[in-house]
PDB file of all heavy atoms in Angstrom:
ATOM      1  N   VAL S  73     -26.525 -18.086  34.967  1.00 72.00           N
ATOM      2  CA  VAL S  73     -26.069 -18.585  36.260  1.00 72.00           C
ATOM      3  C   VAL S  73     -25.254 -19.861  36.099  1.00 72.00           C
ATOM      4  O   VAL S  73     -25.558 -20.722  35.288  1.00 72.00           O
ATOM      5  CB  VAL S  73     -27.274 -18.863  37.174  1.00 72.00           C
ATOM      6  CG1 VAL S  73     -26.786 -19.237  38.562  1.00 72.00           C
ATOM      7  CG2 VAL S  73     -28.190 -17.648  37.214  1.00 72.00           C
ATOM      8  N   ILE S  74     -24.176 -19.909  36.879  1.00 80.00           N
ATOM      9  CA  ILE S  74     -23.329 -21.087  36.860  1.00 80.00           C
ATOM     10  C   ILE S  74     -23.674 -21.943  38.079  1.00 80.00           C
ATOM     11  O   ILE S  74     -23.838 -21.438  39.180  1.00 80.00           O
ATOM     12  CB  ILE S  74     -21.849 -20.671  36.944  1.00 80.00           C
ATOM     13  CG1 ILE S  74     -21.524 -19.701  35.810  1.00 80.00           C
ATOM     14  CG2 ILE S  74     -20.945 -21.884  36.918  1.00 80.00           C
ATOM     15  CD1 ILE S  74     -20.365 -18.804  36.125  1.00 80.00           C
ATOM     16  N   THR S  75     -23.771 -23.223  37.858  1.00 84.00           N
ATOM     17  CA  THR S  75     -24.008 -24.119  39.005  1.00 84.00           C
ATOM     18  C   THR S  75     -23.014 -25.254  38.973  1.00 84.00           C
ATOM     19  O   THR S  75     -22.674 -25.770  37.901  1.00 84.00           O
ATOM     20  CB  THR S  75     -25.419 -24.735  38.976  1.00 84.00           C
ATOM     21  OG1 THR S  75     -26.211 -24.033  38.014  1.00 84.00           O
ATOM     22  CG2 THR S  75     -26.056 -24.688  40.347  1.00 84.00           C
ATOM     23  N   LEU S  76     -22.556 -25.646  40.159  1.00 89.00           N
ATOM     24  CA  LEU S  76     -21.660 -26.789  40.247  1.00 89.00           C
ATOM     25  C   LEU S  76     -22.495 -28.043  40.473  1.00 89.00           C
ATOM     26  O   LEU S  76     -23.597 -27.980  41.020  1.00 89.00           O
ATOM     27  CB  LEU S  76     -20.697 -26.584  41.434  1.00 89.00           C
ATOM     28  CG  LEU S  76     -19.351 -26.012  41.074  1.00 89.00           C
ATOM     29  CD1 LEU S  76     -19.487 -24.762  40.212  1.00 89.00           C
ATOM     30  CD2 LEU S  76     -18.548 -25.690  42.343  1.00 89.00           C
ATOM     31  N   PRO S  77     -21.976 -29.175  40.063  1.00 93.00           N
ATOM     32  CA  PRO S  77     -22.716 -30.434  40.269  1.00 93.00           C
ATOM     33  C   PRO S  77     -22.938 -30.667  41.760  1.00 93.00           C
ATOM     34  O   PRO S  77     -22.087 -30.323  42.581  1.00 93.00           O
ATOM     35  CB  PRO S  77     -21.780 -31.498  39.690  1.00 93.00           C
ATOM     36  CG  PRO S  77     -20.430 -30.871  39.647  1.00 93.00           C
ATOM     37  CD  PRO S  77     -20.672 -29.407  39.456  1.00 93.00           C
ATOM     38  N   ASP S  78     -24.092 -31.232  42.066  1.00 95.00           N
ATOM     39  CA  ASP S  78     -24.382 -31.525  43.468  1.00 95.00           C
ATOM     40  C   ASP S  78     -25.049 -32.889  43.549  1.00 95.00           C
ATOM     41  O   ASP S  78     -26.268 -33.011  43.576  1.00 95.00           O
ATOM     42  CB  ASP S  78     -25.283 -30.439  44.059  1.00 95.00           C
ATOM     43  CG  ASP S  78     -25.394 -30.558  45.577  1.00 95.00           C
ATOM     44  OD1 ASP S  78     -25.008 -31.625  46.129  1.00 95.00           O
ATOM     45  OD2 ASP S  78     -25.844 -29.592  46.204  1.00 95.00           O
ATOM     46  N   LEU S  82     -19.827 -34.613  48.298  1.00 94.00           N
ATOM     47  CA  LEU S  82     -19.022 -33.413  48.123  1.00 94.00           C
ATOM     48  C   LEU S  82     -17.661 -33.731  47.508  1.00 94.00           C
ATOM     49  O   LEU S  82     -17.234 -33.111  46.534  1.00 94.00           O
ATOM     50  CB  LEU S  82     -18.815 -32.714  49.469  1.00 94.00           C
ATOM     51  CG  LEU S  82     -17.910 -31.480  49.419  1.00 94.00           C
ATOM     52  CD1 LEU S  82     -18.532 -30.405  48.551  1.00 94.00           C
ATOM     53  CD2 LEU S  82     -17.648 -30.933  50.821  1.00 94.00           C
ATOM     54  N   ARG S 129     -16.475 -13.276  40.759  1.00 89.00           N
ATOM     55  CA  ARG S 129     -17.551 -13.306  41.739  1.00 89.00           C
ATOM     56  C   ARG S 129     -18.625 -14.353  41.419  1.00 89.00           C
ATOM     57  O   ARG S 129     -18.972 -15.162  42.296  1.00 89.00           O
ATOM     58  CB  ARG S 129     -18.176 -11.926  41.938  1.00 89.00           C
ATOM     59  CG  ARG S 129     -18.973 -11.870  43.261  1.00 89.00           C
ATOM     60  CD  ARG S 129     -19.875 -10.661  43.407  1.00 89.00           C
ATOM     61  NE  ARG S 129     -19.271  -9.384  43.102  1.00 89.00           N
ATOM     62  CZ  ARG S 129     -18.391  -8.756  43.880  1.00 89.00           C
ATOM     63  NH1 ARG S 129     -18.008  -9.300  45.019  1.00 89.00           N
ATOM     64  NH2 ARG S 129     -17.898  -7.601  43.524  1.00 89.00           N
ATOM     65  N   PRO S 130     -19.154 -14.380  40.201  1.00 89.00           N
ATOM     66  CA  PRO S 130     -20.186 -15.392  39.930  1.00 89.00           C
ATOM     67  C   PRO S 130     -19.679 -16.803  40.179  1.00 89.00           C
ATOM     68  O   PRO S 130     -20.374 -17.638  40.781  1.00 89.00           O
ATOM     69  CB  PRO S 130     -20.496 -15.193  38.440  1.00 89.00           C
ATOM     70  CG  PRO S 130     -19.916 -13.889  38.061  1.00 89.00           C
ATOM     71  CD  PRO S 130     -18.890 -13.507  39.056  1.00 89.00           C
ATOM     72  N   LEU S 131     -18.451 -17.061  39.751  1.00 89.00           N
ATOM     73  CA  LEU S 131     -17.877 -18.380  39.955  1.00 89.00           C
ATOM     74  C   LEU S 131     -17.771 -18.685  41.442  1.00 89.00           C
ATOM     75  O   LEU S 131     -18.149 -19.768  41.904  1.00 89.00           O
ATOM     76  CB  LEU S 131     -16.487 -18.446  39.328  1.00 89.00           C
ATOM     77  CG  LEU S 131     -16.430 -19.073  37.937  1.00 89.00           C
ATOM     78  CD1 LEU S 131     -15.087 -18.808  37.285  1.00 89.00           C
ATOM     79  CD2 LEU S 131     -16.691 -20.583  38.061  1.00 89.00           C
ATOM     80  N   THR S 132     -17.238 -17.705  42.171  1.00 92.00           N
ATOM     81  CA  THR S 132     -17.083 -17.901  43.620  1.00 92.00           C
ATOM     82  C   THR S 132     -18.427 -18.167  44.277  1.00 92.00           C
ATOM     83  O   THR S 132     -18.545 -19.038  45.154  1.00 92.00           O
ATOM     84  CB  THR S 132     -16.437 -16.650  44.235  1.00 92.00           C
ATOM     85  OG1 THR S 132     -15.198 -16.410  43.579  1.00 92.00           O
ATOM     86  CG2 THR S 132     -16.184 -16.849  45.715  1.00 92.00           C
ATOM     87  N   GLU S 133     -19.439 -17.436  43.857  1.00 93.00           N
ATOM     88  CA  GLU S 133     -20.757 -17.629  44.437  1.00 93.00           C
ATOM     89  C   GLU S 133     -21.234 -19.067  44.226  1.00 93.00           C
ATOM     90  O   GLU S 133     -21.736 -19.722  45.147  1.00 93.00           O
ATOM     91  CB  GLU S 133     -21.768 -16.647  43.826  1.00 93.00           C
ATOM     92  CG  GLU S 133     -21.795 -15.292  44.525  1.00 93.00           C
ATOM     93  CD  GLU S 133     -21.804 -15.419  46.048  1.00 93.00           C
ATOM     94  OE1 GLU S 133     -22.516 -16.290  46.598  1.00 93.00           O
ATOM     95  OE2 GLU S 133     -21.076 -14.642  46.707  1.00 93.00           O
ATOM     96  N   ALA S 134     -21.057 -19.556  43.016  1.00 93.00           N
ATOM     97  CA  ALA S 134     -21.476 -20.924  42.705  1.00 93.00           C
ATOM     98  C   ALA S 134     -20.739 -21.922  43.589  1.00 93.00           C
ATOM     99  O   ALA S 134     -21.336 -22.874  44.132  1.00 93.00           O
ATOM    100  CB  ALA S 134     -21.213 -21.220  41.226  1.00 93.00           C
ATOM    101  N   LYS S 135     -19.429 -21.657  43.755  1.00 93.00           N
ATOM    102  CA  LYS S 135     -18.646 -22.586  44.569  1.00 93.00           C
ATOM    103  C   LYS S 135     -19.100 -22.522  46.028  1.00 93.00           C
ATOM    104  O   LYS S 135     -19.242 -23.551  46.692  1.00 93.00           O
ATOM    105  CB  LYS S 135     -17.162 -22.243  44.474  1.00 93.00           C
ATOM    106  CG  LYS S 135     -16.561 -22.473  43.082  1.00 93.00           C
ATOM    107  CD  LYS S 135     -15.167 -21.845  42.995  1.00 93.00           C
ATOM    108  CE  LYS S 135     -14.621 -21.884  41.576  1.00 93.00           C
ATOM    109  NZ  LYS S 135     -13.419 -21.022  41.437  1.00 93.00           N
ATOM    110  N   LEU S 136     -19.329 -21.315  46.505  1.00 94.00           N
ATOM    111  CA  LEU S 136     -19.781 -21.168  47.890  1.00 94.00           C
ATOM    112  C   LEU S 136     -21.119 -21.899  48.098  1.00 94.00           C
ATOM    113  O   LEU S 136     -21.323 -22.555  49.119  1.00 94.00           O
ATOM    114  CB  LEU S 136     -19.919 -19.678  48.245  1.00 94.00           C
ATOM    115  CG  LEU S 136     -18.601 -18.955  48.483  1.00 94.00           C
ATOM    116  CD1 LEU S 136     -18.839 -17.465  48.724  1.00 94.00           C
ATOM    117  CD2 LEU S 136     -17.860 -19.563  49.678  1.00 94.00           C
ATOM    118  N   ASP S 137     -22.001 -21.776  47.118  1.00 94.00           N
ATOM    119  CA  ASP S 137     -23.301 -22.443  47.211  1.00 94.00           C
ATOM    120  C   ASP S 137     -23.121 -23.947  47.445  1.00 94.00           C
ATOM    121  O   ASP S 137     -23.770 -24.541  48.303  1.00 94.00           O
ATOM    122  CB  ASP S 137     -24.099 -22.219  45.918  1.00 94.00           C
ATOM    123  CG  ASP S 137     -24.755 -20.843  45.910  1.00 94.00           C
ATOM    124  OD1 ASP S 137     -24.738 -20.181  46.977  1.00 94.00           O
ATOM    125  OD2 ASP S 137     -25.264 -20.437  44.860  1.00 94.00           O
ATOM    126  N   ARG S 138     -22.183 -24.499  46.647  1.00 95.00           N
ATOM    127  CA  ARG S 138     -21.968 -25.951  46.782  1.00 95.00           C
ATOM    128  C   ARG S 138     -21.453 -26.300  48.187  1.00 95.00           C
ATOM    129  O   ARG S 138     -21.881 -27.281  48.806  1.00 95.00           O
ATOM    130  CB  ARG S 138     -20.963 -26.414  45.713  1.00 95.00           C
ATOM    131  CG  ARG S 138     -20.713 -27.922  45.714  1.00 95.00           C
ATOM    132  CD  ARG S 138     -21.975 -28.686  45.394  1.00 95.00           C
ATOM    133  NE  ARG S 138     -21.843 -30.124  45.585  1.00 95.00           N
ATOM    134  CZ  ARG S 138     -22.005 -30.727  46.759  1.00 95.00           C
ATOM    135  NH1 ARG S 138     -22.297 -29.996  47.820  1.00 95.00           N
ATOM    136  NH2 ARG S 138     -21.903 -32.036  46.853  1.00 95.00           N
ATOM    137  N   LEU S 139     -20.545 -25.434  48.701  1.00 95.00           N
ATOM    138  CA  LEU S 139     -20.005 -25.714  50.032  1.00 95.00           C
ATOM    139  C   LEU S 139     -21.083 -25.562  51.094  1.00 95.00           C
ATOM    140  O   LEU S 139     -21.173 -26.357  52.033  1.00 95.00           O
ATOM    141  CB  LEU S 139     -18.823 -24.782  50.330  1.00 95.00           C
ATOM    142  CG  LEU S 139     -17.560 -24.988  49.475  1.00 95.00           C
ATOM    143  CD1 LEU S 139     -16.402 -24.143  50.011  1.00 95.00           C
ATOM    144  CD2 LEU S 139     -17.151 -26.463  49.425  1.00 95.00           C
ATOM    145  N   ARG S 140     -21.916 -24.570  50.970  1.00 95.00           N
ATOM    146  CA  ARG S 140     -22.994 -24.380  51.935  1.00 95.00           C
ATOM    147  C   ARG S 140     -23.931 -25.579  51.930  1.00 95.00           C
ATOM    148  O   ARG S 140     -24.368 -26.061  52.984  1.00 95.00           O
ATOM    149  CB  ARG S 140     -23.775 -23.098  51.614  1.00 95.00           C
ATOM    150  CG  ARG S 140     -22.984 -21.822  51.935  1.00 95.00           C
ATOM    151  CD  ARG S 140     -23.871 -20.587  51.954  1.00 95.00           C
ATOM    152  NE  ARG S 140     -23.047 -19.395  51.768  1.00 95.00           N
ATOM    153  CZ  ARG S 140     -22.922 -18.732  50.618  1.00 95.00           C
ATOM    154  NH1 ARG S 140     -23.609 -19.134  49.562  1.00 95.00           N
ATOM    155  NH2 ARG S 140     -22.144 -17.662  50.549  1.00 95.00           N
ATOM    156  N   SER S 141     -24.200 -26.037  50.710  1.00 94.00           N
ATOM    157  CA  SER S 141     -25.039 -27.226  50.599  1.00 94.00           C
ATOM    158  C   SER S 141     -24.407 -28.398  51.364  1.00 94.00           C
ATOM    159  O   SER S 141     -25.093 -29.157  52.059  1.00 94.00           O
ATOM    160  CB  SER S 141     -25.238 -27.582  49.120  1.00 94.00           C
ATOM    161  OG  SER S 141     -25.436 -28.961  48.949  1.00 94.00           O
ATOM    162  N   ALA S 142     -23.074 -28.502  51.267  1.00 94.00           N
ATOM    163  CA  ALA S 142     -22.373 -29.577  51.984  1.00 94.00           C
ATOM    164  C   ALA S 142     -22.476 -29.379  53.481  1.00 94.00           C
ATOM    165  O   ALA S 142     -22.638 -30.346  54.247  1.00 94.00           O
ATOM    166  CB  ALA S 142     -20.915 -29.626  51.554  1.00 94.00           C
ATOM    167  N   GLN S 143     -22.380 -28.126  53.901  1.00 94.00           N
ATOM    168  CA  GLN S 143     -22.525 -27.854  55.327  1.00 94.00           C
ATOM    169  C   GLN S 143     -23.894 -28.317  55.816  1.00 94.00           C
ATOM    170  O   GLN S 143     -24.006 -28.997  56.831  1.00 94.00           O
ATOM    171  CB  GLN S 143     -22.351 -26.352  55.599  1.00 94.00           C
ATOM    172  CG  GLN S 143     -20.897 -25.914  55.693  1.00 94.00           C
ATOM    173  CD  GLN S 143     -20.766 -24.430  55.976  1.00 94.00           C
ATOM    174  OE1 GLN S 143     -21.562 -23.634  55.465  1.00 94.00           O
ATOM    175  NE2 GLN S 143     -19.776 -24.067  56.782  1.00 94.00           N
ATOM    176  N   ARG S 144     -24.898 -27.943  55.058  1.00 94.00           N
ATOM    177  CA  ARG S 144     -26.248 -28.350  55.419  1.00 94.00           C
ATOM    178  C   ARG S 144     -26.366 -29.873  55.500  1.00 94.00           C
ATOM    179  O   ARG S 144     -27.050 -30.411  56.346  1.00 94.00           O
ATOM    180  CB  ARG S 144     -27.264 -27.789  54.422  1.00 94.00           C
ATOM    181  CG  ARG S 144     -27.856 -26.439  54.841  1.00 94.00           C
ATOM    182  CD  ARG S 144     -28.817 -25.905  53.784  1.00 94.00           C
ATOM    183  NE  ARG S 144     -28.182 -24.940  52.892  1.00 94.00           N
ATOM    184  CZ  ARG S 144     -27.998 -25.122  51.603  1.00 94.00           C
ATOM    185  NH1 ARG S 144     -28.421 -26.252  51.023  1.00 94.00           N
ATOM    186  NH2 ARG S 144     -27.395 -24.200  50.871  1.00 94.00           N
ATOM    187  N   LEU S 154     -15.517 -20.448  54.681  1.00 95.00           N
ATOM    188  CA  LEU S 154     -15.671 -21.022  53.333  1.00 95.00           C
ATOM    189  C   LEU S 154     -14.758 -20.342  52.317  1.00 95.00           C
ATOM    190  O   LEU S 154     -14.270 -20.960  51.374  1.00 95.00           O
ATOM    191  CB  LEU S 154     -17.135 -20.933  52.893  1.00 95.00           C
ATOM    192  CG  LEU S 154     -18.101 -21.771  53.746  1.00 95.00           C
ATOM    193  CD1 LEU S 154     -19.494 -21.781  53.117  1.00 95.00           C
ATOM    194  CD2 LEU S 154     -17.592 -23.186  53.904  1.00 95.00           C
ATOM    195  N   LEU S 158     -12.133 -22.190  49.848  1.00 95.00           N
ATOM    196  CA  LEU S 158     -12.002 -22.062  48.382  1.00 95.00           C
ATOM    197  C   LEU S 158     -10.571 -21.724  47.990  1.00 95.00           C
ATOM    198  O   LEU S 158     -10.051 -22.230  46.997  1.00 95.00           O
ATOM    199  CB  LEU S 158     -12.950 -20.980  47.866  1.00 95.00           C
ATOM    200  CG  LEU S 158     -14.425 -21.372  47.801  1.00 95.00           C
ATOM    201  CD1 LEU S 158     -15.227 -20.249  47.162  1.00 95.00           C
ATOM    202  CD2 LEU S 158     -14.598 -22.669  47.033  1.00 95.00           C
TER     203      LEU S 158
END
Side-chain angles (χ1 to χ4, degrees):
Chain S
V73 186
I74 304 155
T75 347
L76 263 50
D78 191 346
L82 177 63
R129 198 193 312 286
L131 262 167
T132 303
E133 274 315 318
K135 293 169 188 168
L136 285 176
D137 280 350
R138 183 63 189 84
L139 293 188
R140 288 195 201 101
S141 151
Q143 278 181 323
R144 267 178 263 115
L154 295 188
L158 285 185

